[in-house]
Amino acid sequence: MRTAPILALTGAALILSACGSSSTAPVESASSGAGAVAGNVADCPEGPPARSPLSFGKIGQDGVVGGLYNDTGQPIYVTNGTETPTDNIETPCRLGPGKATFYSGSNLGGNDIELYLSAEDNSFNRAGTRVNMSDGIAFWPQVWVEGFSFRHPGWSREWNCTPDESKRVNISQGQSQSYDTYELGKLTVSRLDDNGSAAREYVGTDSSKVDDWARIDVRISRLGGCS
């Protein structure tokens, strides 16, 4: 896989007027009522290979594999926005504090992985950190982090917070990108060296077609969000 220094693509990120207000409470102080339905949410699968809802796409083109690590000290509700947004946003899995789960994705022409990370398991009122990752055939592996919130499932009612740090960046093997803002939360995204054996294990295949998929890990210490 190609390597390159971390470079921001041109163009300033748009800051939505609805996001980042100092009068809003952090996402981690979400209402205790969210836990009332926690029993209806399955735990995220631990250990490779990546499984539903955190696996997506077909084998045979570039993609992304990696691990998600919860260092927040609270449960995180994880959904995959790469597929039909309404269906997946409504069905998170729960990643407990100190736990890890794995993802894999390949999506020609779009983000290979779109992780929605929230303190809320309520599908109709959620906010948190969205991590987008891609490894297109003609592009460098890239990462783009946003804050998000929605009052109802689906793209048409989703708000994204994109401060200056929320630029789409190229990420090379062995490099990391860290974020620490109100809207984005506190997290580190690290691209590991390409490893065919690891990629096959994460995807759950013996196909050599995944050997050069980008390996990108995400460690999240604090959730972000906008309202």
Side-chain angles (χ1 to χ4, degrees), residues 15-21 227:
I15 303 178
L16 300 183
S17 60
C19 303
S21 170
S227 59

Side-chain angles (χ1 to χ4, degrees), residues 39-226:
N40 298 326
V41 178
D43 289 333
C44 296
E46 292 187 58
R51 283 158 281 171
S52 179
L54 301 180
S55 62
F56 172 74
K58 298 179 180 179
I59 297 169
Q61 60 198 51
D62 286 346
V64 174
V65 297
L68 171 64
Y69 299 85
N70 179 3
D71 297 331
T72 67
Q74 67 180 85
I76 293 177
Y77 296 91
V78 187
T79 51
N80 174 17
T82 315
E83 301 186 75
T84 307
T86 299
D87 293 342
N88 284 277
I89 286 174
E90 289 187 73
T91 54
C93 64
R94 179 180 53 245
L95 184 63
K99 299 291 187 179
T101 190
F102 292 85
Y103 48 82
S104 69
S106 180
N107 184 28
L108 184 63
N111 291 326
D112 294 310
I113 296 292
E114 296 177 357
L115 298 177
Y116 285 79
L117 312 175
S118 178
E120 297 274 7
D121 61 351
N122 182 344
S123 63
F124 294 99
N125 185 6
R126 295 181 62 203
T129 301
R130 179 183 176 190
V131 184
N132 310 283
M133 293 172 277
S134 64
D135 183 24
I137 295 174
F139 302 98
W140 305 102
Q142 296 180 333
V143 173
W144 180 23
V145 178
E146 306 167 282
F148 80 91
S149 67
F150 58 81
R151 295 295 174 262
H152 298 282
W155 296 113
S156 63
R157 297 181 182 271
E158 180 179 325
W159 290 265
N160 294 319
C161 293
T162 55
D164 289 344
E165 294 83 357
S166 183
K167 299 183 288 283
R168 190 181 293 271
V169 297
N170 295 339
I171 188 166
S172 64
Q173 294 181 51
Q175 293 187 321
S176 297
Q177 183 79 6
S178 294
Y179 303 85
D180 188 357
T181 73
Y182 176 89
E183 298 90 351
L184 307 183
K186 183 176 182 180
L187 67 153
T188 299
V189 181
S190 303
R191 185 176 170 204
L192 308 179
D193 291 341
D194 291 347
N195 184 305
S197 296
R200 294 187 195 194
E201 184 179 13
Y202 290 1
V203 178
T205 180
D206 282 332
S207 174
S208 61
K209 294 179 180 179
V210 305
D211 286 357
D212 66 346
W213 284 20
R215 278 201 306 156
I216 303 176
D217 282 357
V218 177
R219 301 198 75 105
I220 184 152
S221 300
R222 187 184 70 250
L223 292 167
C226 57

